Amino acid sequence: SKITVSLIKADVGGLPGHVTVADELIKAAEENLQNAKDSGLIIDFRVFRAGDDLELVMTHTKGVDNEEIHKLAWDTFEKATAIAKDLKLYGAGQDLLSDAFSGNVRGMGPGVAEMEFTERGAEPVIAFMMDKTEPGAFNLPIFRMFADPFNTAGLVIDPNLHNGFVFEIWDIYEHKKVLMRAPEEMYDILALIGAKSRFVIKRVFPKEGGKLPADEPVAVISTEKLYQIAGEYVGKDDPVALVRAQSGLPAVGEVLEPFAFPHLVSGWMRGSHNGPLMPVPFNYSKCTRFDGPPRVIAAGFQLANGRLVGPVDLFDDPAYDYTRQKAVEIAEYMRRHGPFEPHRLPMEDMEYTTLPKVMDRLKDRFESIE
Ligand code: 13P
Ligand code: 13P
Ligand code: MG
Ligand code: MG
Ligand code: MG
């Protein structure tokens, strides 16, 4: 039978400000998920913090978008929110945009990455969790894992990867999606996903006729954009992803390799700045300098009939020290721009702006230029 892995996350309050998740919230989430495991609703779970985001990894056999599983996540976030309110944590309940659960957390504030698939003889799965950035931050690393031969040696030398992969890309402004094939449509794919605030990779599939079923995803990314949902800036969309590895897929090391480059992503300070994405161990998953810089953690598992064996803290490794040092240098370089673009985001992408008020105050002083 098929296994579903669900990674559902929300920011339900930060300690202090937007730095990290309080231990009390982690404990409450673990208790609630343990009850669900004891009752048989889920097979297994792990709880993480990515900066100030509370992250629930759950395995079960109920498929994606399942009402009971989503309700479990929602109830867990509500329980954590109650504690966050009691502790007066910052932005308690920030990402719970609705008061009442209505069947599915999609569009209600939490971010969701989940996939159902036939568990292989050995099934490595990696959960990536980012803070202080947006779903498009995954475009570059996911593309490189599944389509860039300079990243993934297997695309060239492993007959099982050599045919390439299919990318499901969402236009999150128009609420449309398109399936595109790599390598044959590589330049068109890049034309879209390079515009990362609008086009976001949602899933990756194997091609037909290969080792793996073409209708079972091998990677999935949360694409919820909260300001799109609510029509105004109400909360955060720090993203997560699940990626399967090995045996017809990129090796674990090929899945991790793109993160050796600390690429620039949007969402730092007030959701309104660009900065480097720094891969960190769980222990450093807290956002400090200028509320950042943006960070990613990676939790590695093997599945055993849905049981989660692990996690392994994959960026807890001196092999990523150079990347972190580079990220710190880039952070320093970007910070020296102060309120100037491209450190500060272009106007249309900022989550806060005083510009309309400034313009209003100046409207009588603007004169036409001859
Ligand atoms: P080992 O020889 O350590 O099993 O590694 C195999 C491999 O292909 C790693 O990418
Ligand atoms: P979060 O998106 O992690 O809540 O951070 C918000 C922010 O504005 C930090 O400066
Ligand atoms: Mg926050
Ligand atoms: Mg956050
Ligand atoms: Mg954010």
Side-chain angles (χ1 to χ4, degrees):
S1 83
K2 292 188 185 183
I3 295 291
T4 306
V5 184
S6 299
L7 170 48
I8 306 185
K9 49 87 41 182
D11 177 346
V12 296
L15 171 68
H18 294 281
V19 172
T20 193
V21 179
D23 290 338
E24 289 88 339
L25 306 194
I26 300 280
K27 192 163 155 275
E30 283 175 343
E31 277 171 15
N32 207 49
L33 296 186
Q34 184 63 50
N35 289 340
K37 182 176 170 178
D38 293 343
S39 81
L41 175 60
I42 56 175
I43 301 171
D44 208 351
F45 71 90
R46 295 289 185 279
V47 176
F48 297 92
R49 49 162 72 80
D52 63 356
D53 291 85
L54 180 58
E55 313 271 353
L56 315 177
V57 176
M58 298 168 286
T59 55
H60 54 94
T61 53
K62 298 187 177 294
V64 302
D65 286 332
N66 176 270
E67 179 161 355
E68 285 175 278
I69 299 298
H70 281 221
K71 183 165 192 328
L72 171 63
W74 184 262
D75 289 346
T76 305
F77 294 136
E78 284 205 318
K79 283 188 174 138
T81 296
I83 294 168
K85 285 189 171 152
D86 185 51
L87 299 175
K88 294 180 68 180
L89 298 181
Y90 194 74
Q94 167 180 283
D95 285 355
L96 305 189
L97 302 184
S98 170
D99 298 331
F101 179 75
S102 58
N104 189 312
V105 295
R106 282 193 296 121
M108 297 183 75
V112 184
E114 49 183 0
M115 55 182 167
E116 184 183 34
F117 53 86
T118 311
E119 189 182 294
R120 294 169 292 167
E123 185 66 63
V125 177
I126 302 174
F128 290 101
M129 297 163 264
M130 295 182 181
D131 191 35
K132 305 301 180 269
T133 184
E134 59 171 3
F138 274 108
N139 283 3
L140 184 150
I142 295 285
F143 174 84
R144 296 193 74 187
M145 287 171 210
F146 290 96
D148 179 359
F150 282 76
N151 180 86
T152 296
L155 292 168
V156 180
I157 67 173
D158 181 346
N160 292 312
L161 273 78
H162 199 73
N163 282 335
F165 291 90
V166 178
F167 288 75
E168 178 183 325
I169 298 166
W170 284 17
D171 177 341
I172 54 181
Y173 289 2
E174 300 291 330
H175 300 280
K176 288 186 170 157
K177 61 179 181 180
V178 60
L179 290 172
M180 298 184 75
R181 299 165 71 82
E184 52 277 38
E185 295 182 289
M186 180 182 285
Y187 298 162
D188 289 349
I189 290 171
L190 286 168
L192 296 186
I193 66 171
K196 64 183 172 43
S197 66
R198 173 163 179 179
F199 297 100
V200 180
I201 301 170
K202 177 63 188 178
R203 292 185 187 84
V204 180
F205 293 95
K207 282 189 178 161
E208 314 73 35
K211 200 171 176 180
L212 292 159
D215 59 346
E216 294 184 3
V218 294
V220 62
I221 298 94
S222 67
T223 46
E224 286 72 21
K225 285 273 247 181
L226 299 193
Y227 72 87
Q228 293 278 323
I229 294 165
E232 59 177 326
Y233 171 63
V234 286
K236 299 302 179 177
D237 39 60
D238 306 312
V240 293
L242 293 168
V243 181
R244 299 164 63 199
Q246 305 285 158
S247 311
L249 299 175
V252 169
E254 291 167 338
V255 170
L256 298 177
E257 178 63 9
F259 296 94
F261 169 57
H263 69 297
L264 290 173
V265 299
S266 303
W268 193 2
M269 183 47 86
R270 298 172 185 273
S272 303
H273 291 78
N274 285 313
L277 183 73
M278 185 162 73
V280 293
F282 300 163
N283 183 35
Y284 285 112
S285 186
K286 55 189 175 203
C287 289
T288 55
R289 185 176 181 189
F290 201 54
D291 286 357
R295 282 163 212 233
V296 56
I297 57 169
F301 300 98
Q302 288 284 145
L303 291 187
N305 304 312
R307 261 172 32 239
L308 290 162
V309 183
V312 174
D313 182 353
L314 292 164
F315 292 136
D316 182 14
D317 186 337
Y320 283 89
D321 282 351
Y322 173 80
T323 310
R324 289 188 273 267
Q325 187 54 42
K326 199 66 164 172
V328 171
E329 284 166 24
I330 296 165
E332 178 62 23
Y333 173 83
M334 295 301 282
R335 278 304 300 129
R336 297 280 72 82
H337 293 76
F340 284 77
E341 297 176 11
H343 180 32
R344 203 211 70 207
L345 297 187
M347 270 160 7
E348 58 278 14
D349 291 336
M350 279 195 293
E351 288 184 350
Y352 291 78
T353 183
T354 52
L355 196 65
K357 281 187 181 145
V358 173
M359 290 302 284
D360 195 49
R361 215 160 40 237
L362 294 177
K363 66 177 184 294
D364 298 330
R365 288 166 55 191
F366 268 98
E367 319 173 15
S368 28
I369 302 162
E370 296 314 318

